[in-house]
Amino acid sequence: MQENNIKFLEDTFKKYYFDHFDLIRVPNRTSEREFGFQKFNSGMTRHISIKDDKELHLLLMKNTPSDVYCSNACYSFPNLPMNEKDWKEADLIFDIDAKDLNLECRKDHTISKCNECNEISTNVNNCSKCNSIKLEKKSLPCKNCINSSKNEVSKLSNILIEDFGVQQNDIHVYFSGNEGFHVYVYNSQFQQLGSKERSELTDYIMFHGAIPETFGMKKIKPNRSTFPDFDEKGWRGRFSKEVYGAKSKRSKIITELIVNGYSSFQKTLDNLSDKIGAKIDPNVTMDIHRIFRLPGSLNSKSGLTKVFCTDLTKFDPYIEASFLNEKLVEVIANCPIRFNLKNTKFGPYFNEKVSIPTFAAAYMICKKLATIS
Amino acid sequence: MLELGADEYAKYPFMADAGQYLKDKGFPLVKFGTDPDLKPSVEKAFHRLKVSTEGGIYKSELIDGQASKSYILEIEVFSFLLAIVLIKLTGMHTLTKRFALAEARRAEQHLERDLGKASDKSKVDLAIKIIHDLFGIEVIKRDDFFEIPVADYLKHSVSFHEREWKLINRYVKDGKVLLTPEKTVRLIRKELGTYIGSKIINAPTPPMIPGFENMVNELISICKKLTPSYTMTTGEYPPCIKHAIEVLEKGENLPHSGRFMLAAFLLSKGQSVEEIAPLFKNAPDYNQRITLYQLNHLAGTSGSGTQYSCPSCEKLKTQNLCFAIPECDNIINPIQFGKKRI
């Protein structure tokens, strides 16, 4: 990134951390967590330990980071190298990202920046100018992306509460600051589980690896199968609702399932993952040593805040996660797609000089779709 | 510690009190080599071991889980302890493993029967207590099922490869997994084996007992035959690796987890960082410096020094990186693909 853009973002981020420190949620057991940060145009600094709020504030003011992270794990010695930290336990965290949902709308708001000639286009496969396939893709998520992600969060919460016995108030949902949500689970029986066990949890949540027998289908003599009832708890109930549609259709559909046989039933189950499984990123949940974006901090991919969602249904990230100031700045914008921030429409811009509020300028500069003029 | 009755000693001779049992009876070990009255116990121990080397489970003389006569009880407990002595004298690790597994499966049968006893609450409670005291699992009986916290279930089932053990294939409700007595006990088989194995490993090795030599020698020769002859490989890459290479060759994006798999696989096949690096050249975000840094990290030549191993097939399935073909049957890691025992 160019120097003047970095300077602009650094000044803007610094002001944010000065004005909005109250938004930053210092995690519990602060001194047992590993912190890390990145600066614009430079690598990651991690294995940092912090005592309290004050120390964190100081770190943010001193370094003006582009991104700040904190571990989900608690360690005896968070500042030592990985294998000497002495892992104790880790919060269970889920990442739901609109880019993993394979949504139809995505192609309508994805922009490609060519790594060879810097051309910006809406063509997603190859550069429209030099035909290179080395493209960096930037997405400006739309309402549908956010609503679909919210839907996945609801599916996940439902499974956590009903199947895993997690209390509703121990589930905290945050907007990630870019394209999705981070769901934190506190005080659960899963705190001390390792990576492999968490991977099993993710398969459960995603409805991966189900076998016909679990749903009563017999390999030998399938006509003796007994299928789940409509009102059953857990996956058996969710299966019934999805496959039968309505109670009245149960017997007709069961007859079909039996006629189609065991391997067809397996296919039905495999296809169901996409519909009834919650679409989480399994790698994130499996990782018990990861450092996650700190709640309340800014996301350098957008300039938006990772913010706590008190009411997910009503939550609008483009209003509630945009905290940067409104001072006007001049930028050269090359953003062929329109976007909405703080109830204001911006763009499309075709390589033109515009005077816009800082929050919108930062959004585009972070997405590499504008530069300070 | 648990208070066990005489029948329980015979069923679960590996419980700590069983060792005390031999001492209390006042039998010095050397006597077993020479005293004809004690010979049946030694013969039983030898038989117990032989059965385990054949992959079988030794059948005790208990009737419905009860030691009908006191001498049977003695033989049951003595033969277990003497089997351990014989294992120590052979010094064969294979024997430890096979015996521990066989004894775990034998105890498993008893535990399962005890847990399933609807009419005898004390037997059920004792079985639940054994599971809790030895393995720290909180089991609650509810109607015909046993409830186990999901986290405990996962800790124990995670090493099972059969798909029916995946959490998704279990009845899960309110943070608990519901299991039958059979499944409850199967869940701790490995730990039961590990527990018995650790008892054997930690037992002191006595000097050779006169009268035991022939048995020890025979056991050693049985173990030597059990050691598998080695494997040949076809050299063919598994489909997941082929797919990853194809994706990269096409210049498409391979997710981080896929790159990790490919690099770890090739490193474990003996390829060098320099040989592997060019594979990533077509990746849309290729950066030579970062690629080499990451590969060296994986190989353990930089960073913490840990050499990373290729993820298991199970993990790759979760990450949507598995493209299994029939030849993949029965392997649990891509590294095993194409290996045949000869």
Side-chain angles (χ1 to χ4, degrees):
Chain A
M1 201 183 275
Q2 286 171 15
E3 278 302 315
N4 52 349
N5 292 327
I6 292 177
K7 172 88 178 49
F8 165 74
L9 288 179
E10 273 179 348
D11 290 347
T12 311
F13 277 36
K14 190 167 194 162
K15 184 167 167 41
Y16 168 84
Y17 284 119
F18 191 80
D19 293 342
H20 295 287
F21 190 72
D22 56 311
L23 283 174
I24 295 186
R25 298 202 159 215
V26 190
N28 65 354
R29 302 168 70 176
T30 317
S31 60
E32 293 175 274
R33 309 272 179 176
E34 178 199 352
F35 287 79
F37 65 85
Q38 253 172 312
K39 288 173 74 99
F40 292 97
N41 265 10
S42 98
M44 174 82 87
T45 310
R46 57 185 291 185
H47 313 298
I48 300 170
S49 74
I50 280 170
K51 241 190 2 256
D52 51 23
D53 268 15
K54 266 190 190 157
E55 242 184 295
L56 178 64
H57 204 167
L58 197 68
L59 176 124
L60 297 175
M61 291 297 57
K62 236 164 84 179
N63 295 287
T64 325
S66 65
D67 302 273
V68 193
Y69 305 95
C70 171
S71 65
N72 58 337
C74 289
Y75 305 98
S76 303
F77 312 105
N79 55 338
L80 293 186
M82 222 62 227
N83 46 0
E84 295 167 34
K85 284 189 190 320
D86 185 27
W87 187 90
K88 288 179 175 173
E89 56 184 88
D91 304 325
L92 186 63
I93 301 186
F94 300 93
D95 179 28
I96 287 168
D97 205 302
K99 77 170 184 306
D100 302 328
L101 305 184
N102 303 321
L103 297 169
E104 264 296 299
C105 61
R106 194 162 179 82
K107 59 176 180 357
D108 303 332
H109 50 70
T110 298
I111 299 162
S112 307
K113 184 168 187 180
C114 177
N115 278 345
E116 307 273 351
C117 72
N118 279 336
E119 174 75 2
I120 287 176
S121 64
T122 46
N123 194 336
V124 290
N125 295 322
N126 48 334
C127 173
S128 43
K129 191 173 170 190
C130 73
N131 222 15
S132 164
I133 49 163
K134 295 195 173 178
L135 304 175
E136 194 176 345
K137 287 174 191 143
K138 298 283 168 194
S139 175
L140 309 185
C142 65
K143 220 170 192 162
N144 182 44
C145 295
I146 300 300
N147 287 340
S148 305
S149 306
K150 282 186 188 175
N151 188 32
E152 298 304 318
V153 174
S154 306
K155 280 202 268 185
L156 168 66
S157 301
N158 184 22
I159 297 167
L160 289 171
I161 294 167
E162 284 180 10
D163 300 15
F164 294 161
V166 175
Q167 300 291 317
Q168 172 92 58
N169 52 10
D170 283 327
I171 302 175
H172 291 197
V173 181
Y174 294 91
F175 171 61
S176 73
N178 195 26
E179 298 201 46
F181 294 91
H182 294 166
V183 180
Y184 287 53
V185 177
Y186 298 110
N187 304 319
S188 75
Q189 54 171 309
F190 310 112
Q191 286 285 123
Q192 281 167 5
L193 287 187
S195 180
K196 268 174 112 177
E197 290 84 357
R198 286 175 197 235
S199 153
E200 271 299 307
L201 282 180
T202 64
D203 275 346
Y204 184 89
I205 290 163
M206 298 167 84
F207 197 74
H208 267 178
I211 53 172
E213 285 82 353
T214 307
F215 296 88
M217 182 74 180
K218 291 194 159 70
K219 201 167 198 171
I220 300 156
K221 298 189 180 161
N223 51 345
R224 296 218 180 141
S225 304
T226 44
F227 291 96
D229 273 325
F230 205 80
D231 298 325
E232 276 189 59
K233 295 271 183 202
W235 280 124
R236 287 171 61 90
R238 290 182 203 110
F239 165 91
S240 305
K241 285 179 194 103
E242 179 65 31
V243 175
Y244 312 145
K247 263 186 195 172
S248 54
K249 291 185 189 160
R250 186 175 181 268
S251 62
K252 186 177 161 253
I253 288 176
I254 285 179
T255 314
E256 273 173 35
L257 290 170
I258 292 173
V259 171
N260 293 339
Y262 185 90
S263 53
S264 156
F265 194 95
Q266 179 69 68
K267 269 187 201 135
T268 307
L269 290 179
D270 295 343
N271 294 337
L272 274 180
S273 323
D274 252 6
K275 292 181 191 153
I276 58 176
K279 292 183 194 66
I280 52 171
D281 180 344
N283 298 310
V284 172
T285 307
M286 266 146 65
D287 197 339
I288 55 167
H289 295 109
R290 186 179 282 239
I291 49 176
F292 289 80
R293 189 172 299 290
L294 183 72
S297 70
L298 289 168
N299 189 326
S300 74
K301 288 179 200 151
S302 65
L304 299 176
T305 301
K306 173 167 173 178
V307 71
F308 180 67
C309 305
T310 39
D311 183 348
L312 186 68
T313 336
K314 288 188 194 147
F315 178 78
D316 181 345
Y318 301 112
I319 296 171
E320 293 170 59
S322 180
F323 287 93
L324 299 182
N325 66 74
E326 311 204 346
K327 202 176 126 197
L328 289 178
V329 277
E330 269 195 353
V331 294
I332 297 169
N334 195 357
C335 177
I337 288 170
R338 175 179 282 199
F339 64 96
N340 227 327
L341 267 184
K342 284 198 193 175
N343 281 329
T344 313
K345 286 190 174 97
F346 296 95
Y349 304 118
F350 302 95
N351 231 343
E352 55 195 281
K353 192 186 252 190
V354 285
S355 182
I356 50 171
T358 296
F359 62 85
Y363 185 71
M364 281 194 290
I365 294 174
C366 285
K367 299 249 174 216
K368 297 184 186 167
L369 302 172
T371 53
I372 291 288
S373 78
Chain B
M1 198 57 203
L2 288 168
E3 276 189 30
L4 298 181
D7 295 340
E8 271 69 36
Y9 278 135
K11 284 192 278 184
Y12 312 116
F14 52 83
M15 301 297 281
D17 312 47
Q20 192 61 34
Y21 186 86
L22 189 59
K23 267 191 204 157
D24 291 348
K25 293 279 168 183
F27 289 103
L29 215 44
V30 280
K31 240 180 138 184
F32 285 93
T34 49
D35 191 334
D37 288 344
L38 296 176
K39 217 178 161 195
S41 297
V42 184
E43 280 169 356
K44 189 145 269 227
F46 181 67
H47 168 68
R48 217 164 166 151
L49 278 166
K50 262 185 91 171
V51 170
S52 77
T53 60
E54 289 153 9
I57 303 172
Y58 151 77
K59 257 184 132 178
S60 58
E61 289 180 28
L62 300 175
I63 297 158
D64 197 21
Q66 292 190 355
S68 52
K69 291 175 192 158
S70 68
Y71 82 91
I72 290 181
L73 171 66
E74 275 182 16
I75 286 186
E76 288 297 318
V77 185
F78 284 3
S79 61
F80 176 82
L81 298 169
L82 290 168
I84 295 184
V85 172
L86 284 168
I87 296 172
K88 297 305 280 192
L89 289 171
T90 63
M92 301 300 283
H93 185 55
T94 324
L95 204 50
T96 306
K97 280 208 307 206
R98 296 216 174 202
F99 182 68
L101 176 66
E103 285 297 316
R105 290 175 66 192
R106 178 179 164 275
E108 194 183 330
Q109 291 175 344
H110 289 299
L111 271 175
E112 199 184 306
R113 216 169 292 147
D114 285 350
L115 274 183
K117 279 207 170 99
S119 56
D120 193 343
K121 192 172 174 302
S122 67
K123 289 256 188 291
V124 177
D125 288 347
L126 184 80
I128 286 180
K129 200 159 164 15
I130 289 177
I131 294 173
H132 178 264
D133 284 10
L134 292 190
F135 311 110
I137 306 181
E138 206 72 59
V139 181
I140 298 168
K141 188 171 194 300
R142 191 148 344 253
D143 304 325
D144 291 339
F145 288 94
F146 292 88
E147 289 185 352
I148 293 174
V150 173
D152 283 336
Y153 175 82
L154 289 176
K155 278 182 212 156
H156 294 85
S157 66
V158 80
S159 53
F160 295 176
H161 301 297
E162 301 94 334
R163 291 176 79 195
E164 63 160 323
W165 284 97
K166 283 188 74 62
L167 189 63
I168 183 80
N169 293 314
R170 291 279 147 229
Y171 191 56
V172 182
K173 199 181 133 192
D174 295 331
K176 305 268 174 36
V177 178
L178 270 63
L179 296 173
T180 59
E182 180 212 347
K183 299 283 182 201
T184 307
V185 176
R186 171 68 184 88
L187 192 64
I188 52 157
R189 176 188 289 173
K190 199 175 154 221
E191 279 80 358
L192 209 50
T194 312
Y195 183 81
I196 297 171
S198 73
K199 289 242 151 184
I200 303 170
I201 290 162
N202 294 329
T205 307
M208 181 54 82
I209 296 156
F212 277 27
E213 296 91 341
N214 289 345
M215 280 178 283
V216 169
N217 288 337
E218 194 176 336
L219 287 168
I220 292 174
S221 82
I222 291 172
C223 285
K224 283 190 176 154
K225 279 183 210 149
L226 288 173
T227 318
S229 52
Y230 256 73
T231 51
M232 62 171 286
T233 55
T234 58
E236 181 101 348
Y237 285 163
C240 49
I241 300 296
K242 278 189 187 165
H243 174 264
I245 295 174
E246 276 166 26
V247 169
L248 285 174
E249 276 173 355
K250 278 191 233 155
E252 290 170 10
N253 187 44
L254 183 66
H256 177 74
S257 45
R259 298 181 197 195
F260 177 92
M261 165 196 76
L262 178 62
F265 176 88
L266 295 175
L267 283 166
S268 68
K269 288 279 172 194
Q271 292 200 25
S272 69
V273 167
E274 290 70 27
E275 283 170 309
I276 300 169
L279 271 178
F280 298 96
K281 258 190 174 154
N282 281 340
D285 53 356
Y286 177 74
N287 176 319
Q288 191 188 15
R289 192 180 56 83
I290 294 175
T291 304
L292 286 174
Y293 168 82
Q294 288 176 335
L295 285 174
N296 279 315
H297 208 86
L298 284 184
T301 46
S302 71
S304 63
T306 317
Q307 189 183 340
Y308 287 81
S309 44
C310 185
S312 66
C313 299
E314 199 59 44
K315 189 164 182 179
L316 296 176
K317 264 182 216 150
T318 304
Q319 296 170 325
N320 288 327
L321 293 167
C322 169
F323 300 88
I325 52 172
E327 285 80 55
C328 293
D329 286 354
N330 303 321
I331 66 166
I332 57 172
N333 190 295
I335 294 294
Q336 294 161 325
F337 185 85
K339 275 189 184 167
K340 285 198 176 72
R341 279 203 169 165
I342 48 167

